[in-house]
């Protein structure tokens, strides 16, 4: 175990969290498996992180983190960095909530509660409750507290990063799929697929003519599930399904981002969920949650085997 993380465990599931770096979940393992999340262990040392600043750059810590949405408003509700406010900058995300220090308010063998600093960029403080239940499922609850004396509006954005050559599936109708490919001299599209009511990326290396592949897909699923096949496991993520009208129009209830490069260590698959966009009056709060299950999988890494496997889990009554 890495000495820079705090671990919780129950049954044969283990999570590693960094309170000092955004309360980020950097490590997920079942039955002593390799890390199922995508994160560079060399970045886990909090002594190496930069000083918190509204002028700082993005650091690719990855793992599971919380952002706020919409992205176009990240720097519009603050006065700390006027240039980013004027430009309506869409990058980087708020450093105070993504790699600022969180206070551990309570910790047991199987749970941890954390609270962030108050962000001068977003005007909020974030509380996280992370617990591994007796059945091995993982419960993640997030509260966002307004800490300012004027109205602000945000959504809660869960972002879970796994290796880019993992495969993810979302149950969805074709009319509720919108894909935006990142196209440039360096980047070409990631192929997409649709089979038996499931959307997925047909993840592959970039061609010789391009350095990378990148695509983002916006989905309003038929049911609130994401299935990500990572090595010999399936990470099943479920959440509350809200009316599409409550999701900010810039986003979707579920979003998948897939990126690959010739160097596979930079390959990335983001499993994203947006809670409703909520106007917060001064000092009001809002909340959202996810439940994760890590399920053993012994089949091939193809849609022809993985989709029937998902469907078989429905029939077994596994609440998938």
């Amino acid at each position: 175990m890495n000495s820079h993380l705090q671990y919780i465990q129950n049954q044969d599931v283990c999570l590693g969290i960094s309170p000092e770096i955004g309360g980020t979940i950097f490590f997920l393992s079942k039955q002593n498996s390799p890390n199922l999340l995508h994160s560079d262990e060399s970045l886990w040392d909090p002594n190496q992180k930069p000083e918190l600043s509204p002028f700082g750059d993005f650091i690719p810590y990855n793992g599971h983190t919380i952002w706020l949405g919409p992205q176009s408003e990240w720097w519009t509700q603050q006065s700390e960095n006027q240039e980013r406010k004027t430009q309506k900058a869409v990058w980087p995300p708020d450093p105070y909530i993504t790699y600022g220090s969180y206070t551990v308010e309570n910790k047991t063998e199987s749970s941890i509660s954390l609270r962030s600093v108050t962000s001068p960029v977003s005007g909020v403080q974030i509380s996280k409750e992370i617990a591994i239940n007796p059945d091995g499922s993982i419960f993640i609850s997030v509260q966002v507290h307004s800490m300012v004396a004027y109205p602000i509006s945000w959504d809660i954005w869960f972002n879970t990063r796994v290796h880019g050559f993992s495969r993810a599936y979302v149950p969805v109708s074709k009319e509720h799929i919108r894909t935006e490919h990142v196209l440039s001299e360096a980047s070409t599209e990631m192929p997409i697929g649709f089979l038996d009511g499931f959307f997925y990326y047909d993840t592959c290396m970039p061609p010789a003519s391009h350095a990378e592949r990148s695509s983002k897909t916006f989905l309003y699923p038929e049911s609130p599930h994401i299935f990500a096949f990572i090595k010999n496991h399936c990470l099943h993520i479920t959440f509350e399904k809200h009316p599409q009208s409550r999701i900010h129009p810039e986003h979707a209830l579920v979003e998948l981002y897939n990126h690959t490069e010739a160097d596979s260590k930079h390959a990335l698959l983001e499993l994203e969920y947006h809670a409703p966009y909520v106007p917060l009056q001064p000092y009001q709060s809002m909340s959202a949650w996810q439940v994760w299950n890590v399920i053993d999988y012994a089949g091939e890494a193809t849609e022809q085997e993985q989709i029937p496997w998902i469907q078989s889990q429905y029939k077994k009554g596994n609440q998938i």
Side-chain angles (χ1 to χ4, degrees):
M1 290 188 175
N2 187 292
S3 61
H4 299 302
L5 303 185
Q6 293 203 27
Y7 291 89
I8 59 174
Q9 52 192 343
N10 205 347
Q11 300 298 320
D12 51 4
V13 175
C14 178
L15 289 176
I17 299 110
S18 173
E20 295 85 4
I21 304 177
T24 306
I25 303 174
F26 281 137
F27 182 83
L28 167 62
S29 173
K30 182 177 181 181
Q31 297 169 335
N32 296 313
S33 72
N35 191 6
L36 300 178
L37 300 180
H38 181 58
S39 181
D40 183 350
E41 188 172 352
S42 68
L43 297 176
W44 296 355
D45 183 353
N47 297 314
Q48 296 180 7
K49 77 175 185 178
E51 183 179 353
L52 276 178
S53 167
F55 300 91
D57 294 324
F58 179 71
I59 304 168
Y61 288 115
N62 296 324
H64 169 81
T65 191
I66 297 297
W67 290 348
L68 300 176
Q71 189 167 354
S72 63
E73 296 179 14
W74 275 352
W75 294 91
T76 63
Q77 303 186 52
Q78 55 86 39
S79 57
E80 301 293 310
N81 186 322
Q82 287 296 333
E83 182 179 1
R84 288 180 177 171
K85 183 174 184 175
T86 301
Q87 293 176 346
K88 296 184 177 180
V90 296
W91 202 256
D94 183 345
Y96 293 87
I97 60 176
T98 56
Y99 66 85
S101 293
Y102 281 56
T103 299
V104 177
E105 298 195 314
N106 187 49
K107 184 176 184 296
T108 70
E109 183 179 358
S110 59
S111 67
I112 189 168
S113 303
L114 308 114
R115 183 178 289 266
S116 76
V117 297
T118 296
S119 169
V121 172
S122 302
V124 304
Q125 187 177 69
I126 291 182
S127 299
K128 299 182 182 182
E129 302 276 346
I130 305 168
I132 306 175
N133 298 315
D135 63 357
S137 63
I138 299 162
F139 179 68
I140 303 171
S141 175
V142 174
Q143 282 196 322
V144 173
H145 315 277
S146 168
M147 303 299 287
V148 292
Y150 50 85
I152 54 176
S153 297
W154 293 114
D155 76 26
I156 302 176
W157 184 346
F158 288 68
N159 193 344
T160 305
R161 283 71 160 251
V162 297
H163 193 277
F165 284 92
S166 308
R167 276 179 167 256
Y169 300 87
V170 177
V172 63
S173 298
K174 283 187 175 181
E175 62 268 25
H176 292 145
I177 301 170
R178 177 172 59 89
T179 299
E180 295 180 358
H181 300 297
V182 181
L183 302 176
S184 68
E185 290 185 2
S187 179
T188 190
E189 67 185 49
M190 185 67 69
I192 62 175
F194 186 84
L195 179 66
D196 292 343
F198 287 88
F199 170 88
Y200 62 95
Y201 280 115
D202 191 10
T203 308
C204 55
M205 295 286 283
S209 58
H210 291 79
E212 59 190 46
R213 291 185 185 271
S214 296
S215 293
K216 180 75 175 276
T217 298
F218 302 82
L219 306 145
Y220 188 71
E222 290 293 290
S223 56
H225 303 285
I226 303 171
F227 305 90
F229 288 81
I230 311 156
K231 301 171 183 174
N232 296 321
H233 297 90
C234 174
L235 172 60
H236 170 224
I237 299 176
T238 190
F239 38 84
E240 190 172 358
K241 184 178 179 181
H242 301 279
Q244 194 168 6
S245 60
R246 296 193 64 198
I247 308 303
H248 191 280
E250 182 179 316
H251 291 289
L253 188 71
V254 171
E255 299 175 11
L256 299 180
Y257 172 75
N258 199 188
H259 172 89
T260 60
E261 300 179 15
D263 186 345
S264 64
K265 73 178 182 180
H266 297 303
L268 180 68
L269 175 61
E270 294 186 331
L271 316 170
E272 306 174 36
Y273 160 69
H274 284 266
Y277 181 65
V278 177
L280 292 174
Q281 295 303 312
Y283 312 111
Q284 280 190 332
S285 299
M286 61 180 176
S287 62
W289 55 267
Q290 286 188 339
V291 174
W292 297 2
N293 276 281
V294 182
I295 309 166
D296 296 338
Y297 175 74
E300 296 294 322
T302 65
E303 63 273 18
Q304 289 82 8
E305 290 207 21
Q306 290 170 335
I307 290 175
W309 181 89
I310 292 170
Q311 294 167 331
S312 75
Q313 297 301 302
Y314 279 104
K315 294 176 182 177
K316 289 178 182 178
N318 287 349
Q319 298 183 343
I320 292 178

